[in-house]
Amino acid sequence: MKKKIISYAITCAIIAVLTILAIKFGGDKETAKKQIDAYRFDSDMDTDLQTITNGKVSLEFNPKTTQFTYTDASGNKWTGYPEGVENTNQAMLKSLLYVQYKNSNGQKYYLSSYEHSVAKENYTYEVLADQNAIRIDFTIGLISKTYLIPAAMPEARFEEWKAKNTEEGAKHMRDWYTKYDAKKLQKDKEKWATLSEKYPDLTVDNDGDGTPDGIVYEIFPNLQNYQKERLETEFMEMGYTREDYEADMEYGSHEEDSDIKPTINLSLYLKLEDDTLVAEVGYDSLAFYPEYPITGLRILPFMCAAGMDEEGFLFIPDGSGAKINFNNGKISSTTYSARVYGWDYAQARKEIVSDPIARFPVYGISFSDRDASLLCMIEEGEAYASIEADISGKSHDYNYVSNEFLIVHNDLADIAGRSLQDIYIFESKLPQDEKLRIRVKTVDSSSYVEMAKAYHDYLAEIYPELGQKVTKTQLPTAVELVGSIIKTQHILGFPKDLPYALTTYEEMGEIMKDLHDAGWSGVNVILNGWFNRGVVHDWPDDINLIRKLGSKKTFKGLVSTLEGYGYSVAGKADFQFVHHNKLLDTFVAKSDAARLLNREPVKIYPYSNVWYGENKEKDSYYLAKPSYTEKALESFVKDADKLGLKNIAFSTIGDKLGADYHPRKGISRQANMKLQVKQISALASRENVFYNSNMYVVPYADLLVDFPIHAQGTGLEDESIPFFPIALHGYVRYTGDSINITNDYITNLLNSAETGAGLYFIFMDATGDELQESDFTYYFGANYDSWAKSAKELYDRYNKDFGSLATETITDHQQIAERVYMTEFSNGTKVYVNYRTLDYKANGMTIPAQDWVVVNGKGGN
């Protein structure tokens, strides 16, 4: 309380005036140097093809172009960018790296490693044989080609080199260098002041007459490239070295400090690890000017690309997975682009029109004519990544799917009325000891089923938990019980927002007893709105049961009874977002909220479904800083244990993710993700539940609720595929969206059958009309009495059809006709699903309209 009052007093005493027009990039890392030294491809470097191998796979690297050929364990050859692009004039397609940078007004510009580095020979490479790797050091930018020639020399050094030169070379030196003679320069006081400061050698007195008589030679600033190349060759033939050049650069630079141009230094590692290829860029290799911060980076942007004469598809992680067929002609459809793990909640946004999310950081390409495919897994820096895909016929003639990493985060500064231009605030420093890494895995098949199986094998290597079959053999079933909501009620004639009981603890017990008596087994019971006022609860650093729902004794009895049924009981809670913050609460936004780039606390408003912008008539809430979240979780676990509640249903951890851009105490989004993984992995022995799960929480879940069982769908896609269900069924228990509260009951149920998902219900004792004049009308269809009979009938049928498949993997999936699919499990069971509005008949079997048929491994129904 004292903390809150002091903070409030300080806040009220300060009148904040925003005077920052732009915060330039510059941190405690040496990411922005006064002068960036460009890498240079020296003529003495080996230009022959370089080959590395680890005995399983090999890489052949061409130093002249940086193109490489990767040979996988089966002998298939893959290139860093598609063959044939050498004949195009689009340098982007020939590049191993593609860079985005911005100026302070937020204008975006792009640079490619081919045009802005390789073609200018501003790069080097080194074969690291002991690491089975090649490192390529790029200087990418709008800089002229660097020539190894001295920019300026004192007279003695100039004459020394001229004496070593050929007659023609000596003439070039005389013609292409300006001679500055101190005796003549002093007649022009302004010019003398500038040059004598730049070249102190001009001020020496060689003849002892008391007046400067030094001489300096400076190269003409407007020499043509062919003249520079001629000089460079002549100096190299005289034995001029890189060390000589660097020493001469100390004397006189080719580029004035005032003429700063977009320039980025970075190193790309290509490594062979087991039977995969790894591409990696470390943050410690990044250097750039603060005037032009690097905001985006694509690594191997066109390795997953195909030309117009090839056949196959792009795989994108949209929902359960989706295919984009090569050259599908949908040129009017927008490019697919989705952020891995969704929006960074510590970055400001004023509206949401669409919010595509990639829950798994993987993409790929399949070639039917080669019967082979590639998978690209983003395994470091994925929290900064987006995945993009498009078809040929738009900006170029190639179908592609690729990555893009957000490097220097930036936001628009709020200086309305102070400037006619948009001014951007840039992140103050880069993350420490982080890197960006993608792993390329080849698959000897063009089938998305085999690709999904290969992805599972990859996940099992990283997470041993995903290499083990689930131990629970019952049908995955979740029942969420809604306890209390906040609703405006009248007390003595005055409106007040108070908890409103939808289902008391006793009523929760009655619902679950009814289901238990009906034969429901192995249920994950999720208690929602059970503490701290209701569904949208107060900060969970302590647990206060809701008196309107019942006593502590009743609650503990409920948990004990449900566990006696063999049910797993979890309390649903949000540990990231702070709702209902009041003056005397322990949470103080000034010190406990995560910060935006403008240093303000992250304050969020709901978004309107009508105009898509912030609805400031609704209550706002805050994003807690990660350390505050960690403390709340620890405190919650202790209080829950005292109530006999062992498990947690995480409503936002694993679903939403943000950074903290506090200038001194901040934490990157990637680091916050790893912190959350550390926290939940410590609780992995409990039977915890996660909603809308991102990949990093999947190994630690007893049940995944609202798991993606269908693609979200975009105009560019051709087909939804159950890629992630194929990869994870039998190793992870999951359900789709709630059966009784969904936009499309039939489709949701059919998706569940097709992907082997379990059942998820949301129930309450109250009737729908009790939700009126509240923000919780989306629970309208949750009344248990209305659903009890249908739910029991559905469970009986579904358990009979799928109850034995919980530990089985998916071995095959096919489209056998338009909107008719077959899923095969490892015990031989086949599930046929018909999405049509008419019956489907074939091979003596009838699949009713909008229904499914299960054929067991012995051929019977």
Side-chain angles (χ1 to χ4, degrees):
M1 182 184 299
K2 182 178 179 181
K3 175 181 175 184
K4 182 74 177 185
I5 294 173
I6 292 173
S7 176
Y8 182 73
I10 293 173
T11 303
C12 292
I14 296 174
I15 300 177
V17 179
L18 181 62
T19 58
I20 300 174
L21 291 181
I23 299 175
K24 297 297 185 181
F25 187 100
D28 50 10
K29 282 187 66 177
E30 190 182 1
T31 54
K33 303 177 182 179
K34 182 178 180 181
Q35 177 69 43
I36 293 178
D37 297 327
Y39 293 113
R40 164 76 179 178
F41 193 90
D42 293 334
S43 59
D44 59 348
M45 294 185 69
D46 195 344
T47 58
D48 293 336
L49 295 178
Q50 304 292 310
T51 301
I52 58 173
T53 181
N54 64 0
K56 294 183 178 180
V57 293
S58 63
L59 185 77
E60 186 180 72
F61 174 74
N62 185 343
K64 295 181 181 179
T65 63
T66 69
Q67 171 67 300
F68 65 82
T69 300
Y70 170 65
T71 304
D72 65 22
S74 299
N76 297 313
K77 295 185 181 299
W78 309 87
T79 52
Y81 40 84
E83 296 180 1
V85 299
E86 294 84 357
N87 302 322
T88 72
N89 59 0
Q90 292 181 296
M92 170 183 67
L93 297 170
K94 308 176 189 178
S95 299
L96 300 187
L97 298 171
Y98 196 49
V99 172
Q100 180 197 93
Y101 70 91
K102 284 185 178 181
N103 60 20
S104 62
N105 294 329
Q107 295 169 304
K108 297 179 184 178
Y109 302 91
Y110 296 91
L111 301 170
S112 70
S113 63
Y114 183 83
E115 179 182 2
H116 301 103
S117 178
V118 176
K120 297 179 179 182
E121 296 187 346
N122 287 130
Y123 70 102
T124 64
Y125 81 93
E126 182 179 0
V127 176
L128 307 172
D130 59 328
Q131 302 176 37
N132 290 321
I134 294 176
R135 188 192 71 244
I136 314 167
D137 303 313
F138 291 98
T139 297
I140 305 173
L142 300 180
I143 57 175
S144 301
K145 178 180 176 179
T146 301
Y147 295 92
L148 296 186
I149 50 180
M153 296 175 284
E155 181 182 29
R157 185 164 173 80
F158 181 85
E159 293 297 336
E160 179 184 349
W161 284 113
K162 190 175 74 169
K164 294 180 182 180
N165 214 335
T166 63
E167 181 177 347
E168 183 180 14
K171 181 178 182 301
H172 291 156
M173 291 179 65
R174 291 193 300 270
D175 292 346
W176 295 341
Y177 279 84
T178 298
K179 180 180 180 181
Y180 291 131
D181 188 330
K183 291 182 178 180
K184 297 179 180 179
L185 281 175
Q186 291 176 72
K187 297 177 183 179
D188 186 336
K189 293 183 179 181
E190 184 176 346
K191 193 171 185 180
W192 167 252
T194 301
L195 290 172
S196 62
E197 181 179 0
K198 184 176 181 180
Y199 301 120
D201 282 339
L202 290 171
T203 63
V204 300
D205 179 9
N206 292 307
D207 55 15
D209 64 358
T211 58
D213 56 7
I215 295 176
V216 170
Y217 289 84
E218 184 181 70
I219 197 168
F220 285 177
N222 57 349
L223 279 185
Q224 300 297 310
N225 286 344
Y226 80 90
Q227 295 171 308
K228 294 178 183 179
E229 289 174 359
R230 189 64 179 271
L231 271 177
E232 182 182 55
T233 300
E234 292 166 350
F235 269 95
M236 289 179 65
E237 289 174 351
M238 291 187 288
Y240 191 79
T241 65
R242 181 82 186 189
E243 289 72 24
D244 291 321
Y245 171 77
E246 291 174 353
D248 287 333
M249 284 292 290
E250 298 284 337
Y251 191 82
S253 173
H254 287 274
E255 182 177 318
E256 298 290 339
D257 290 342
S258 60
D259 187 25
I260 297 298
K261 296 179 180 178
T263 307
I264 296 102
N265 274 5
L266 74 167
S267 298
L268 171 66
Y269 287 81
L270 299 174
K271 303 179 180 180
L272 302 179
E273 295 184 2
D274 195 34
D275 60 349
T276 63
L277 169 67
V278 172
E280 179 180 292
V281 174
Y283 276 95
D284 57 359
S285 75
L286 287 170
F288 47 88
Y289 291 117
E291 290 83 357
Y292 303 104
I294 172 175
T295 52
L297 175 65
R298 300 189 185 194
I299 301 175
L300 306 186
F302 288 95
M303 188 163 188
C304 288
M308 299 183 73
D309 57 345
E310 296 182 273
E311 296 181 357
F313 63 86
L314 307 172
F315 160 65
I316 57 173
D318 178 40
S320 64
K323 292 169 55 178
I324 301 174
N325 294 328
F326 296 169
N327 317 308
N328 66 14
K330 300 179 180 181
I331 58 175
S332 61
S333 297
T334 58
T335 300
Y336 168 80
S337 180
R339 287 175 175 260
V340 174
Y341 307 151
W343 183 259
D344 180 348
Y345 279 80
Q347 287 198 271
R349 58 176 172 177
K350 299 298 183 183
E351 61 183 14
I352 301 178
V353 177
S354 65
D355 193 19
I357 297 173
R359 298 288 183 187
F360 292 78
V362 59
Y363 58 92
I365 189 169
S366 170
F367 296 88
S368 57
D369 50 344
R370 299 171 59 177
D371 195 24
S373 52
L374 284 179
L375 281 175
C376 291
M377 286 75 66
I378 308 174
E379 59 182 28
E380 286 288 344
E382 68 270 32
Y384 313 126
S386 294
I387 295 173
E388 178 181 295
D390 215 338
I391 57 169
S392 63
K394 290 186 175 182
S395 56
H396 49 72
D397 293 336
Y398 289 86
N399 310 273
Y400 74 93
V401 57
S402 185
N403 61 75
E404 181 169 21
F405 296 93
L406 183 58
I407 306 298
V408 179
H409 297 75
N410 54 96
D411 272 338
L412 183 65
D414 185 8
I415 54 171
R418 299 173 183 268
S419 173
L420 296 178
Q421 290 183 316
D422 287 341
I423 302 298
Y424 275 74
I425 298 173
F426 293 97
E427 191 175 8
S428 61
K429 60 182 178 181
L430 286 179
Q432 300 287 319
D433 304 320
E434 291 189 13
K435 61 186 65 174
L436 311 173
R437 179 166 59 200
I438 64 173
R439 185 179 299 274
V440 180
K441 184 179 182 69
T442 62
V443 183
D444 292 334
S445 172
S446 59
S447 162
Y448 60 81
V449 174
E450 298 306 315
M451 293 171 70
K453 292 177 182 178
Y455 184 58
H456 167 261
D457 293 343
Y458 162 78
L459 290 177
E461 291 179 6
I462 300 175
Y463 304 103
E465 301 90 343
L466 296 181
Q468 302 171 8
K469 295 288 188 67
V470 296
T471 58
K472 292 185 176 181
T473 58
Q474 302 102 324
L475 173 72
T477 307
V479 174
E480 181 175 325
L481 301 170
V482 185
S484 170
I485 60 172
I486 297 297
K487 182 177 178 180
T488 301
Q489 300 168 61
H490 289 80
I491 306 298
L492 299 177
F494 295 97
K496 188 174 180 61
D497 289 341
L498 295 170
Y500 184 88
L502 299 178
T503 315
T504 65
Y505 302 142
E506 184 177 349
E507 290 165 345
M508 291 179 182
E510 291 172 356
I511 291 173
M512 295 313 302
K513 181 181 185 303
D514 189 44
L515 294 177
H516 174 259
D517 292 345
W520 290 34
S521 62
V523 177
N524 286 78
V525 181
I526 302 168
L527 307 181
N528 187 10
W530 61 282
F531 79 115
N532 290 20
R533 304 181 73 206
V535 171
V536 180
H537 56 73
D538 296 344
W539 187 241
D541 55 348
D542 58 8
I543 294 176
N544 295 307
L545 296 177
I546 301 170
R547 283 184 294 176
K548 291 185 177 181
L549 300 186
S551 66
K552 180 186 291 188
K553 180 180 179 181
T554 304
F555 179 83
K556 294 175 74 172
L558 168 68
V559 174
S560 177
T561 299
L562 296 181
E563 289 181 343
Y565 294 158
Y567 295 167
S568 171
V569 187
K572 188 174 182 180
D574 180 357
F575 298 95
Q576 294 195 98
F577 297 98
V578 184
H579 298 267
H580 312 307
N581 186 43
K582 298 179 290 295
L583 178 62
L584 302 181
D585 286 349
T586 58
F587 177 85
V588 180
K590 192 73 174 178
S591 59
D592 300 327
R595 298 295 184 91
L596 299 165
L597 282 168
N598 64 7
R599 306 190 181 191
E600 291 296 316
V602 179
K603 187 177 183 179
I604 304 170
Y605 286 92
Y607 294 89
S608 169
N609 293 325
V610 178
W611 69 87
Y612 306 111
E614 292 179 313
N615 187 351
K616 294 193 174 182
E617 294 182 358
K618 298 289 186 179
D619 292 336
S620 62
Y621 53 98
Y622 293 95
L623 173 66
K625 65 182 182 183
S627 60
Y628 202 76
T629 285
E630 185 176 22
K631 291 178 182 177
L633 179 56
E634 292 174 354
S635 178
F636 178 92
V637 169
K638 292 178 182 178
D639 285 358
D641 283 345
K642 294 176 183 177
L643 293 170
L645 188 64
K646 303 182 181 67
N647 312 309
I648 306 172
F650 292 92
S651 63
T652 61
I653 286 182
D655 175 20
K656 298 176 173 58
L657 183 64
D660 180 3
Y661 295 104
H662 191 287
R664 290 179 291 105
K665 303 175 183 178
I667 181 172
S668 72
R669 194 171 190 237
Q670 184 80 10
N672 188 26
M673 179 199 76
K674 291 185 176 181
L675 176 62
Q676 291 186 3
V677 169
K678 179 181 178 182
Q679 294 163 5
I680 62 175
S681 63
L683 303 171
S685 61
R686 301 171 184 246
E687 297 179 346
N688 295 325
V689 176
F690 293 88
Y691 287 75
N692 302 307
S693 308
N694 294 327
M695 185 271 287
Y696 53 88
V697 301
V698 169
Y700 312 108
D702 180 62
L703 182 68
L704 303 172
V705 171
D706 204 1
F707 185 77
I709 57 175
H710 197 272
Q712 295 171 323
T714 67
L716 196 64
E717 297 170 15
D718 291 289
E719 185 180 353
S720 171
I721 57 175
F723 186 91
F724 300 116
I726 293 171
L728 293 172
H729 195 279
Y731 303 97
V732 173
R733 300 170 69 244
Y734 58 84
T735 76
D737 194 4
S738 60
I739 296 297
N740 58 321
I741 300 180
T742 183
N743 292 329
D744 189 336
Y745 166 80
I746 293 177
T747 300
N748 182 35
L749 189 57
L750 295 178
N751 289 160
S752 298
E754 183 186 354
T755 59
L759 298 176
Y760 166 39
F761 296 93
I762 299 176
F763 292 138
M764 64 182 183
D765 184 73
T767 57
D769 57 5
E770 295 181 64
L771 299 171
Q772 292 180 8
E773 299 181 0
S774 79
D775 293 328
F776 302 91
T777 52
Y778 49 83
Y779 288 131
F780 185 82
N783 175 253
Y784 178 71
D785 290 339
S786 300
W787 268 94
K789 181 180 178 181
S790 298
K792 293 173 186 177
E793 291 174 350
L794 175 60
Y795 178 88
D796 288 344
R797 181 192 175 192
Y798 207 87
N799 189 46
K800 176 178 177 293
D801 288 343
F802 302 102
S804 63
L805 300 179
T807 61
E808 304 295 333
T809 60
I810 295 177
T811 56
D812 195 14
H813 179 268
Q814 299 176 24
Q815 181 176 1
I816 60 175
E818 185 178 0
R819 304 193 70 203
V820 182
Y821 297 88
M822 184 279 297
T823 305
E824 183 174 6
F825 293 84
S826 51
N827 66 353
T829 297
K830 294 183 179 181
V831 178
Y832 295 87
V833 180
N834 179 11
Y835 288 86
R836 297 176 174 184
T837 56
L838 298 175
D839 292 353
Y840 174 79
K841 298 180 180 181
N843 301 321
M845 179 175 59
T846 298
I847 309 172
Q850 298 187 327
D851 205 342
W852 70 83
V853 170
V854 176
V855 179
N856 65 34
K858 298 179 181 180
N861 290 346

